[in-house]
Amino acid sequence: QKEVEQNSGPLSVPEGAIASLNCTYSDRVSQSFFWYRQYSGKSPELIMSIYSNGDKEDGRFTAQLNKASQYVSLLIRDSQPSDSATYLCAVNLFSGYALNFGKGTSLLVTP
Amino acid sequence: NAGVTQTPKFQVLKTGQSMTLQCAQDMNHNSMYWYRQDPGMGLRLIYYSASEGTTDKGEVPNGYNVSRLNKREFSLRLESAAPSQTSVYFCASPPTGERTDTQYFGPGTRLTVL
């Protein structure tokens, strides 16, 4: 089983700060990378996808991918209490294949 | 969660009972997936279906069977429930028009086996 590793947290940041979430993966040939947000008692919600090395920005979210280091991260700027959730990193080998998930990082944004 | 529905939302079973979890998608997509989520274990793939009439085992298939009778529906059956199958079950499917590896999840079924 290929591994996707995340720090379980909790990661606590003050409101307005930048939250940085990290993920490493073991399979060097992985092609697609995703960040999901999951509120307690709810289903995972896709917030970012990234397929190429570099940064991808969407509103307050930036995903960063470094395939050489097998590392993907998610930055949340101007963090809000509503961002408090568990963030799941997911990776897959190629299109149409099932995702391999990390165990998630719990984020707490304090007012 | 748009386009993926699951029933029931909650279920309590006794050990040895059977039940079927239903999943349906209205996006006319080929792929569908069943995951279970347990505290500290993350999401783990039980079974998936790449197309109508085909199914394949995932990471944790023991104790489960699946059926993909048509493109829209993918069901998960527990023939003889065990307490170890207490979990939250999610069905997922890619939305039409996006890459098939972009999975969207249904609302989940919370199952307790006593």
Side-chain angles (χ1 to χ4, degrees):
Chain A
Q1 175 66 19
K2 303 300 183 183
E3 297 293 330
V4 178
E5 300 287 347
Q6 296 182 255
N7 189 322
S8 63
L11 173 66
S12 183
V13 300
E15 183 175 358
I18 296 175
S20 178
L21 304 163
N22 304 315
C23 173
T24 59
Y25 59 95
S26 63
D27 195 330
R28 185 168 291 278
V29 299
S30 297
Q31 296 292 322
S32 306
F33 307 87
F34 305 89
W35 283 99
Y36 285 81
R37 177 176 62 198
Q38 187 175 26
Y39 294 113
S40 180
K42 301 295 185 181
S43 59
E45 172 193 11
L46 180 68
I47 54 173
M48 289 290 287
S49 59
I50 186 166
Y51 306 101
S52 305
N53 279 330
D55 294 0
K56 179 181 177 182
E57 187 174 319
D58 184 359
R60 296 188 295 114
F61 299 100
T62 298
Q64 300 174 317
L65 176 61
N66 183 326
K67 289 187 177 181
S69 299
Q70 295 176 237
Y71 177 93
V72 58
S73 65
L74 179 70
L75 300 178
I76 306 174
R77 291 182 299 281
D78 187 24
S79 295
Q80 300 298 310
S82 58
D83 294 326
S84 298
T86 296
Y87 289 80
L88 304 170
C89 174
V91 174
N92 79 348
L93 295 179
F94 50 84
S95 181
Y97 206 70
L99 297 179
N100 190 12
F101 283 85
K103 295 179 181 180
T105 298
S106 175
L107 173 66
L108 178 64
V109 181
T110 55
Chain B
N1 298 339
V4 181
T5 58
Q6 291 183 239
T7 56
K9 287 188 169 56
F10 301 93
Q11 184 70 49
V12 179
L13 294 177
K14 295 181 179 178
T15 297
Q17 288 185 317
S18 62
M19 77 162 296
T20 300
L21 283 66
Q22 304 285 357
C23 174
Q25 52 102 357
D26 60 6
M27 299 171 289
N28 197 36
H29 211 278
N30 288 322
S31 304
M32 297 182 75
Y33 307 83
W34 276 106
Y35 292 88
R36 61 177 287 176
Q37 187 174 36
D38 304 292
M41 298 297 294
L43 281 155
R44 293 181 292 171
L45 182 68
I46 306 171
Y47 270 93
Y48 68 98
S49 172
S51 62
E52 179 181 347
T54 69
T55 61
D56 287 286
K57 295 179 180 179
E59 181 185 355
V60 288
N62 291 343
Y64 305 96
N65 287 304
V66 290
S67 178
R68 183 84 184 273
L69 296 178
N70 56 60
K71 199 169 190 177
R72 185 174 177 272
E73 298 170 302
F74 188 34
S75 61
L76 179 71
R77 182 161 178 84
L78 287 69
E79 292 291 350
S80 179
S84 61
Q85 294 178 303
T86 293
S87 188
V88 182
Y89 292 85
F90 290 105
C91 179
S93 184
T96 301
E98 296 195 27
R99 290 172 62 121
T100 56
D101 51 8
T102 308
Q103 293 179 15
Y104 287 71
F105 287 81
T109 295
R110 284 149 182 82
L111 175 66
T112 301
V113 183
L114 302 175

